[in-house]
Amino acid sequence: MSEEIEHVKCLIIGSGPAGYTAAIYAARADMKPVLYQGMQPGGQLTETTEVDNYPGYPEGIDGPQMMIDFQKQAERFDTDVRSGWVTKVDFSGSVHKVELDNGKKNMTADSIIISTGASAKWLGLESEIRLRDMGGGVSACAVCDGFFYKDQEVCIVGAGDSACEEASYLAKLCTKVHMLVRKDVFRASKAMVHRVEGMENIEIHYNTETLEVLGDTGVEGAKVKNNITGEESTIPCTGFFVAIGHTPNTKVFADYLDLNPQGYINVIPGTSKTTIAGVFVGGDAADHVYRQAVTAAGTGCMAALDAERYLAAKGIH
Ligand code: NDP
């Protein structure tokens, strides 16, 4: 570790809706928050094009622009927003220690708000990533983007509870939903499987892997392969959804915080409090259920309010 140690009252780690909302509340409560943006400034919303379900934007808003607006609002109240990410923590003492960017900087904080989020998993195909990045019809969130494919035909990859839930959601909007399942069984619970099996416009393709998402500027289909017969075919679709799980960005905290088996941070129910006093969490790092910008903002607000009360109880002003 380097020699320089900076002490702050409130350190916020991560810059999605949870982190920036925590910053707005913490800054307005005079906690002088310092926010480190992490490896993907703006978080998952920077991978989205149009956000139509965040209240307050009647015409919808571009995901990256929304995160710029969040940042500006946090900075208006003098949040110190910095680029960089946490590489190590030590939550063993009453003052929490954090190392940034592999030892370039050390900090201590009276309170910490973790808002590192989760990252959607992708298949890793060149065509998938290219179309995702250009807003061409590849998405990891049916609730966010399904509406754009109303009365159209879509594909969704995955066989877990999320894929089933998202396929059911899409089936209510789209003319047809093709579920691409790589094995001959689902991983999802029986109830969820029954639900998708019972929907007339969901077609389940077992033993099916995606070779390529077709289309230059927008999705036109999926080239798939049956991994038993080797047969290749093309499924027509205008939207391609990937629901193969998320990875919470919590590894760096694993030695100190209570994580569930998937790596999400466990909180004391109804609060943002972790098992370590003074360490709070908001957003997807603790939420594998709702995963929405608005719920992340809400729990980010909770984290700031819990941190403020914690500091007040300790007499830290
Ligand atoms: P899961 O890890 O449970 O499932 C991921 C699915 O994606 C698996 O079926 C897996 O296939 C498939 N998959 C992974 N990689 C690939 C790939 N490269 N190509 C094709 N398919 C792939 O993730 P979920 O997000 O579905 O769920 C996470 C947790 O959240 C689970 O515990 C789940 O129960 C819970 N959850 C609960 C809900 C509810 O109760 N309402 C709703 C949503 C989630 P394979 O099976 O072949 O490994």
Side-chain angles (χ1 to χ4, degrees):
M1 281 201 175
S2 68
E3 293 304 307
E4 187 197 351
I5 297 181
E6 178 186 7
H7 181 76
V8 295
K9 263 203 286 196
C10 178
L11 177 66
I12 300 172
I13 307 170
S15 59
Y20 284 133
T21 305
I24 292 163
Y25 275 78
R28 295 182 84 246
D30 206 25
M31 290 156 70
K32 309 213 170 356
V34 170
L35 180 150
Y36 273 89
Q37 289 181 308
M39 294 213 193
Q40 187 184 14
Q44 285 186 81
L45 279 173
T46 59
E47 289 173 5
T48 305
T49 42
E50 193 82 358
V51 179
D52 258 349
N53 55 6
Y54 197 94
Y57 292 99
E59 305 305 324
I61 173 106
D62 180 64
Q65 182 58 47
M66 184 177 168
M67 285 301 93
I68 291 169
D69 290 348
F70 270 53
Q71 179 175 345
K72 277 189 194 156
Q73 193 171 350
E75 287 176 329
R76 180 154 73 91
F77 300 108
D78 291 335
T79 301
D80 185 348
V81 176
R82 302 177 185 175
S83 59
W85 54 90
V86 169
T87 49
K88 205 171 172 183
V89 299
D90 179 352
F91 293 162
S92 59
S94 58
V95 173
H96 305 303
K97 298 179 190 156
V98 164
E99 184 176 311
L100 288 128
D101 292 15
N102 286 321
K104 279 195 209 137
K105 188 170 178 69
N106 295 323
M107 293 184 80
T108 53
D110 295 313
S111 67
I112 291 190
I113 295 173
I114 297 169
S115 47
T116 45
S119 305
K121 292 181 190 165
W122 299 95
L123 298 173
L125 300 170
E126 182 279 329
S127 52
E128 169 206 34
I129 304 302
R130 178 175 46 79
L131 285 160
R132 177 200 72 187
D133 290 349
M134 64 168 60
V138 172
S139 165
C141 181
V143 176
C144 317
D145 299 325
F147 189 76
F148 302 118
Y149 305 96
K150 197 167 185 303
D151 299 326
Q152 298 173 43
E153 197 161 337
V154 297
C155 281
I156 181 162
V157 184
D161 283 324
S162 297
C164 290
E165 202 164 71
E166 302 214 344
S168 313
Y169 181 86
L170 291 168
K172 289 179 198 138
L173 297 166
C174 304
T175 50
K176 179 139 188 180
V177 178
H178 297 272
M179 278 196 91
L180 311 182
V181 176
R182 68 177 171 182
K183 291 185 188 149
D184 60 356
V185 287
F186 275 89
R187 187 189 293 194
S189 58
K190 287 214 160 42
M192 294 294 242
V193 177
H194 286 323
R195 199 205 289 185
V196 294
E197 283 174 339
M199 297 185 89
E200 264 181 12
N201 61 342
I202 297 183
E203 184 177 348
I204 301 164
H205 303 257
Y206 288 103
N207 295 115
T208 299
E209 290 175 31
T210 309
L211 300 175
E212 189 184 346
V213 186
L214 302 170
D216 290 333
T217 53
V219 173
E220 291 169 7
K223 188 174 171 192
V224 299
K225 179 181 171 178
N226 182 303
N227 56 25
I228 302 290
T229 64
E231 191 190 336
E232 293 183 10
S233 57
T234 298
I235 299 175
C237 60
T238 49
F240 186 87
F241 289 85
V242 180
I244 61 172
H246 286 76
T247 309
N249 303 317
T250 57
K251 219 181 229 172
V252 74
F253 311 111
D255 288 345
Y256 295 95
L257 300 182
D258 185 28
L259 307 184
N260 80 5
Q262 286 80 40
Y264 290 89
I265 298 170
N266 285 325
V267 291
I268 296 168
T271 77
S272 69
K273 296 175 189 170
T274 69
T275 41
I276 301 277
V279 179
F280 306 89
V281 58
D284 290 10
D287 172 21
H288 71 274
V289 180
Y290 300 105
R291 296 198 293 242
Q292 299 302 301
V294 70
T295 50
T299 52
C301 160
M302 286 167 65
L305 294 177
D306 285 340
E308 183 190 355
R309 285 165 197 163
Y310 168 82
L311 293 177
K314 293 202 83 169
I316 299 168
H317 300 289

